[in-house]
Amino acid sequence: MSYTVNDLKPGMSHTIGKTISEADIVMFAGVSTDTNAVHLDEEFAKTLPFGGRIAHGMISASFISAVIGAHLPGPGSIYMGQTLRFTAPVRIGDTVKTTVTVKEVIVEKKRVILETICRVGDTVVIQGEATVYKP
């Protein structure tokens, strides 16, 4: 579904879920060129504080973009800004649930302020705020 800026109201939200796979991490490393060993090398990653491989934080952050572009506000939305605070790691096999909630609608500027949260179970792994242009 696609909303116009006039359709949007504070409190509206949409959630998607995605389970992180080995293939997701390898493909993201290829696309992004982020080949940090903490994502790709288990033996190396075991020597770091998380005790093993973790997914790229931007994989989970990309799910925010997926909600914004495909669901809420939907097609035609243009990112103007995004803050992200990474609060916990995501690992292979974790299911990331991403929720985008309308905080404020500025109709005259065709802008929407959105709360953006990613969780694994009850643990918040990313929290932030997005500003989008929605014609």
Side-chain angles (χ1 to χ4, degrees):
M1 173 161 205
S2 183
Y3 298 95
T4 68
V5 72
N6 293 315
D7 296 329
L8 298 167
K9 306 288 181 240
M12 294 173 74
S13 69
H14 189 87
T15 301
I16 63 169
K18 168 80 169 90
T19 301
I20 302 297
S21 69
E22 168 77 17
D24 294 327
I25 292 173
V26 171
M27 288 188 294
F28 191 86
V31 168
S32 68
T33 72
D34 179 353
T35 58
N36 185 337
V38 73
H39 308 304
L40 302 171
D41 182 337
E42 182 66 28
E43 292 308 309
F44 174 79
K46 283 181 181 176
T47 68
L48 300 174
F50 292 123
R53 289 173 63 195
I54 60 172
H56 302 76
M58 295 309 285
I59 291 176
S60 296
S62 73
F63 303 148
I64 298 167
S65 179
V67 174
I68 290 170
H71 303 285
L72 183 71
S77 299
I78 306 295
Y79 252 119
M80 296 180 70
Q82 172 77 57
T83 62
L84 298 169
R85 197 168 127 241
F86 298 89
T87 55
V90 173
R91 301 177 188 280
I92 294 170
D94 285 348
T95 298
V96 178
K97 292 204 175 180
T98 303
T99 302
V100 171
T101 303
V102 176
K103 288 178 66 173
E104 181 182 356
V105 181
I106 308 165
V107 175
E108 61 278 3
K109 291 187 175 186
K110 298 182 180 179
R111 291 190 185 153
V112 185
I113 311 300
L114 304 160
E115 176 184 54
T116 58
I117 298 177
C118 297
R119 290 182 174 86
V120 172
D122 292 331
T123 302
V124 173
V125 297
I126 300 176
Q127 60 187 118
E129 184 176 279
T131 301
V132 298
Y133 173 77
K134 181 58 178 161

